Amino acid sequence: MITTLKRHHHSALIFSLIFFFSFTALGQTPQHEVSGKVTDEQGTPLEYATISFQSTSDPSKVTGGITNPQGNFSFDVQEGTYNITVEFISFEPKTFPNRQINSDLDMGTITLGMAAGELEEVVVTAETTQVEVRLDKKIYNIGKDLTTAGGTVADALNNVPSVSVDIEGGISLRGNENVRILINGKPSAMAGFGNTDVLSQLPADAIERVEVITSPSARYDAEGTAGILNIILRKEKTLGFNGSVTARAGHPDQVGLSANVNYRTNKFNIFNTTGFRYFDAPGNSFADTRYFDYVDEETGEIVNPRYDRIIEDRQIDRLNRNFNTSLGFEYYINDMSSLTTTGFYRYGEDEDLTTNYSRMFMEGFSSLESVRREKEMEEDNSYQISLNYMNKFNNSGHQLTADLQFERDMETQNGVIDETIEVDLAEENPFFPSEETFTEENQTEYLAQVDYVRPIGEDAQFEAGYRGNFEEEITDYQLFLEERDTENMLLSPLSNEFTYTENVNSLYSQYGNRFGQFSFLLGLRLENTQLKGNIESDLSEDELEEEFGIPIDTNFDNNYLGLFPTVNLIYEIGERENVTLGYNRRINRPRGWFINPFPSRSSRTNIFQGNPNLEPAFSNAFDLGYLKRWEKLTLTSSAYYQHETDSFERVEQGATAVDGTQVIRTIPINLATNTRIGAEAGLLYNPTQWLRLNGSFNFFQFDTEGDYNGVDYSAKNTSYFGRFSSKVTLPWKIDWQTNAFYRGPTEGAQTETEGLFMVDMAVSKELFNERASLTLNVQDLLDSRKRESFTTTEFFERESEFQWRQRSITLSLTYRFNEQKRDQRRQQQDSNGDDMGNEGGDF
């Protein structure tokens, strides 16, 4: 096995020896520049290919060097006659014997073919997460992470520095939830159209790497004020048929089967990821709410709530079945162009039962006890078809790419809600009508994108492109309520059809250049956003305002034109040390469920409703980063500042139901400004071959200013989160990994949240000559992944605890065929640390 660190050490040793021999052999003999480019048979540059010059008169004299990220090489060689050898692991070397050098020599493009016979002898395993820094991103190669074996994409993201996944599956970057999720650089149905719940259905072993883009360049859309997480899925570059199959089982009840297979020839590449999963994900929550007397703003009278205290104990049983498959075909038209088509399909069935036990108090004494049961059946069908064309004008990076993508998501939800009275000491005989809900959601999205890249000389590059996203979401919602006298189910006037359209057209241009140790990337993006909404309801706008407590525009059409500049700078202090500085302006567009005013109904006293009056939020952000790499230790760090206007905040307000019961309504609003500052640091330490350590810490402070309906929601809070991972290689090919995560307490305008600590643990054993792995994985070992919070408003105060998913244990078996002998080039490109920033971003 060749570990990443060994590869780095080996490359450094070869380069040092070559440099030493070159230096000692110089003398007064004239030197000439020898240059060229090394690629594979598809024209892909080979980084870290070795070019050696052995003197025919004195074979002990050897000089040469390695290629840069673009596959280019250029260095001075003494005048003389040499045997020139070009080598790259897993490729057939190419030799140029008795080549006389008496003037500058351009060797042109040197093409290497893969060595199929030798490939069986090369074993490369990325044992741990590695980091690579570019001008506008950090690239984390997930590596052989045991704690995500048999897990999902969401589980894998929770182990990426700067990223945290909360107990409900919500993803945040540096503590900011407004993060854009992309799959292979594009919005995708595989990411659930922004609904991150879908990431809990995709297998983690489908991930190649994760790009954490905290200072996105202009090539990326401006959505997501926190930044972008770009998930790159696996697509093998190795010739032949290869792949892996994983079977898993665990507790709570879960079974699953997934496969990643790939077949590649010199003319085409076929790749497929397929998975099926059946699992139970029980959760629970608890809320103790005390209601206050308050003054009615219209009448000025003091209102006494019907119940002064309500205790809710909720049990959630989720039974999920889902299937997903992705099939792609890449055809190499010629050495300079290729055509790739990919299809993705997901089918899911969810059966959830939420049981809510409520106790209601009057003047401190228990008055009423009820049980509310909500059974929800959900069926989800999603598919996506994409087409990509790439044409290279030469082998120096001059190329044009075009993408077309169509996505369709169809969801149906049927819910039945019954609430029965268990105890009625006051003998009020209140009536809680049964409810039936029918929801049908249809979402369609089109994407068209063209990108043009033109290198200018050796160190500069120009890019330009267009992207159009056209999205429509139609939600047909029907609510039936039981009539007290007849017990008939009658259609409620709250039934509606909500159509939401988001169209974004964007143009961008950017230019990058390098001057010695300094590189820059400057870009400008122009985006036009059209947000349209139409609510078809039997209620007028005045009646809707009276029902929901906010003005409702049932037909809106908002248009926004914005410029989004980006600046990314990098200074290479040394070969393994650099400083980066980034600036970007970004936008946060409200999603459909944030705008739809018709509320969720899982609880009669705690509901969420959208706000159709939401407008996009805009942010300006600065990011200063520093990276230092030693032989066994890598340090990444950054400090950042972000100022956001019209930021989204969720506020909780009190309301009174028809029967006089107090209701807490959560509404998202544009709340003036939000300023966030912070710093983070990460360490990768591999002291020995059997021990690998990984830790990160993120400290941030946010300051929110603003008021809503005369209430000041300003808040200033400091918080932090950190994670630590250790992996120990034991005898008999056994690996042991432990991950620990702690998120510090937070305090908002209304809610204080306690800190959260969790531990994941896994042990793995290699089998069948390393062709298979058996892994036992325990997530949330201490069963401590619970959100505990305390909320105070002028209407109520509430203590609550919420656990989305209880501790789980998974046993998985992965069998690999032809996959453990991977293409060395990909491993070097993706995880080598010697090139930290030398590429000057992506140009």
Side-chain angles (χ1 to χ4, degrees), residues 202-366:
L202 300 177
D205 51 13
I207 300 179
E208 173 92 2
R209 63 184 183 272
V210 176
E211 297 178 349
V212 179
I213 310 173
T214 53
S215 183
S217 65
R219 74 167 60 88
Y220 299 102
D221 58 358
E223 171 70 25
T225 55
I228 295 171
L229 289 179
N230 186 22
I231 301 170
I232 306 298
L233 301 181
R234 289 174 54 182
K235 185 176 67 174
E236 289 289 335
K237 298 181 175 69
T238 306
L239 289 175
F241 183 64
N242 50 77
S244 65
V245 178
T246 299
R248 65 186 66 87
H251 174 79
D253 296 343
Q254 62 166 309
V255 292
L257 185 67
S258 62
N260 294 285
V261 294
N262 197 98
Y263 179 68
R264 174 167 177 160
T265 70
N266 290 326
K267 198 63 179 175
F268 63 84
N269 188 21
I270 302 175
F271 46 95
N272 173 257
T273 298
T274 298
F276 169 80
R277 193 176 183 217
Y278 170 95
F279 65 100
D280 183 15
N284 59 82
S285 67
F286 172 83
D288 186 353
T289 309
R290 296 174 176 84
Y291 297 91
F292 309 140
D293 297 343
Y294 65 94
V295 177
D296 189 291
E297 295 182 357
E298 295 182 359
T299 64
E301 297 179 353
I302 297 178
V303 178
N304 303 114
R306 180 176 183 181
Y307 301 106
D308 53 28
R309 184 183 183 188
I310 297 178
I311 297 177
E312 295 180 285
D313 197 345
R314 186 181 306 175
Q315 299 296 321
I316 309 168
D317 295 308
R318 308 181 190 90
L319 191 61
N320 299 329
R321 298 172 292 270
N322 56 70
F323 168 81
N324 62 82
T325 185
S326 176
L327 177 64
F329 180 81
E330 184 176 10
Y331 176 68
Y332 308 110
I333 301 172
N334 51 48
D335 291 342
M336 306 300 287
S337 61
S338 66
L339 186 67
T340 303
T341 180
T342 305
F344 169 77
Y345 174 73
R346 182 182 69 249
Y347 175 78
E349 286 185 359
D350 296 344
E351 185 176 334
D352 299 346
L353 175 62
T354 301
T355 306
N356 193 359
Y357 300 89
S358 298
R359 286 184 293 162
M360 304 177 187
F361 295 81
M362 298 177 62
E363 299 179 354
F365 295 96
S366 178

Side-chain angles (χ1 to χ4, degrees), residues 332-493:
Y332 308 110
I333 301 172
N334 51 48
D335 291 342
M336 306 300 287
S337 61
S338 66
L339 186 67
T340 303
T341 180
T342 305
F344 169 77
Y345 174 73
R346 182 182 69 249
Y347 175 78
E349 286 185 359
D350 296 344
E351 185 176 334
D352 299 346
L353 175 62
T354 301
T355 306
N356 193 359
Y357 300 89
S358 298
R359 286 184 293 162
M360 304 177 187
F361 295 81
M362 298 177 62
E363 299 179 354
F365 295 96
S366 178
S367 173
L368 185 71
E369 296 182 14
S370 68
V371 179
R372 179 182 175 93
R373 294 179 178 88
E374 178 185 9
K375 187 173 183 179
E376 183 178 83
M377 306 287 293
E378 180 177 327
E379 184 176 304
D380 183 13
N381 275 280
S382 299
Y383 62 89
Q384 170 185 303
I385 301 172
S386 60
L387 184 67
N388 168 268
Y389 172 74
M390 181 180 69
N391 183 73
K392 298 179 180 179
F393 299 100
N394 56 38
N395 289 320
S396 299
H398 186 196
Q399 66 182 34
L400 174 72
T401 59
D403 293 272
L404 293 174
Q405 189 167 285
F406 171 76
E407 304 171 1
R408 183 75 183 270
D409 181 62
M410 296 159 287
E411 265 184 40
T412 58
Q413 297 177 353
N414 298 327
V416 177
I417 302 173
D418 289 301
E419 187 163 0
T420 59
I421 298 174
E422 302 289 317
V423 177
D424 185 7
L425 297 179
E427 298 182 356
E428 294 185 334
N429 193 26
F431 174 62
F432 299 141
S434 296
E435 303 177 17
E436 293 181 3
T437 61
F438 299 90
T439 306
E440 183 176 329
E441 296 182 11
N442 288 280
Q443 184 162 338
T444 305
E445 184 170 350
Y446 299 87
L447 179 143
Q449 180 174 332
V450 178
D451 296 283
Y452 174 74
V453 181
R454 175 66 184 267
I456 304 173
E458 289 292 325
D459 298 319
Q461 181 167 294
F462 169 79
E463 291 185 48
Y466 162 81
R467 175 183 284 184
N469 275 87
F470 311 98
E471 180 181 338
E472 182 182 69
E473 180 180 349
I474 302 175
T475 303
D476 189 352
Y477 174 76
Q478 295 183 21
L479 170 65
F480 292 86
L481 298 176
E482 180 186 10
E483 189 179 40
R484 183 166 190 168
D485 296 331
T486 65
E487 297 185 354
N488 293 329
M489 303 299 293
L490 301 180
L491 184 66
S492 167

Side-chain angles (χ1 to χ4, degrees), residues 423-624:
V423 177
D424 185 7
L425 297 179
E427 298 182 356
E428 294 185 334
N429 193 26
F431 174 62
F432 299 141
S434 296
E435 303 177 17
E436 293 181 3
T437 61
F438 299 90
T439 306
E440 183 176 329
E441 296 182 11
N442 288 280
Q443 184 162 338
T444 305
E445 184 170 350
Y446 299 87
L447 179 143
Q449 180 174 332
V450 178
D451 296 283
Y452 174 74
V453 181
R454 175 66 184 267
I456 304 173
E458 289 292 325
D459 298 319
Q461 181 167 294
F462 169 79
E463 291 185 48
Y466 162 81
R467 175 183 284 184
N469 275 87
F470 311 98
E471 180 181 338
E472 182 182 69
E473 180 180 349
I474 302 175
T475 303
D476 189 352
Y477 174 76
Q478 295 183 21
L479 170 65
F480 292 86
L481 298 176
E482 180 186 10
E483 189 179 40
R484 183 166 190 168
D485 296 331
T486 65
E487 297 185 354
N488 293 329
M489 303 299 293
L490 301 180
L491 184 66
S492 167
L494 292 177
S495 301
N496 70 95
E497 183 175 282
F498 178 53
T499 302
Y500 177 68
T501 303
E502 179 181 303
N503 296 326
V504 181
N505 287 279
S506 56
L507 296 169
Y508 82 91
S509 177
Q510 63 182 16
Y511 173 77
N513 206 337
R514 182 190 323 174
F515 300 95
Q517 296 172 282
F518 175 75
S519 302
F520 68 84
L521 185 61
L522 308 178
L524 184 65
R525 190 176 188 90
L526 173 67
E527 289 194 351
N528 176 255
T529 302
Q530 183 185 43
L531 304 179
K532 298 172 61 178
N534 181 62
I535 301 174
E536 295 184 7
S537 170
D538 292 336
L539 299 179
S540 66
E541 292 188 356
D542 291 338
E543 291 173 325
L544 288 171
E545 181 176 355
E546 182 179 355
E547 176 68 28
F548 297 137
I550 57 175
I552 302 294
D553 186 353
T554 57
N555 194 347
F556 60 87
D557 187 349
N558 300 324
N559 202 291
Y560 306 92
L561 183 67
L563 282 173
F564 301 92
T566 62
V567 178
N568 287 287
L569 314 173
I570 186 169
Y571 180 73
E572 300 168 18
I573 302 173
E575 183 180 357
R576 295 177 171 230
E577 185 177 15
N578 64 52
V579 176
T580 58
L581 177 64
Y583 162 78
N584 62 85
R585 182 174 188 260
R586 302 190 62 75
I587 185 174
N588 180 10
R589 303 182 186 94
R591 306 301 298 176
W593 70 283
F594 249 42
I595 287 183
N596 192 342
F598 294 89
S600 66
R601 305 188 66 83
S602 58
S603 170
R604 188 167 46 84
T605 57
N606 289 276
I607 63 176
F608 174 87
Q609 71 178 65
N611 180 2
N613 305 311
L614 276 182
E615 295 186 355
F618 294 87
S619 72
N620 291 275
F622 296 86
D623 188 290
L624 177 64

Side-chain angles (χ1 to χ4, degrees), residues 146 761-764 774-778 809-812:
L146 304 183
M761 191 171 292
V763 61
S764 177
L774 183 66
T775 304
L776 179 65
N777 174 19
V778 182
I809 303 173
T810 304
L811 181 67
S812 62

Side-chain angles (χ1 to χ4, degrees), residues 94 387 549 662:
K94 185 166 288 188
L387 184 67
Q662 289 298 103

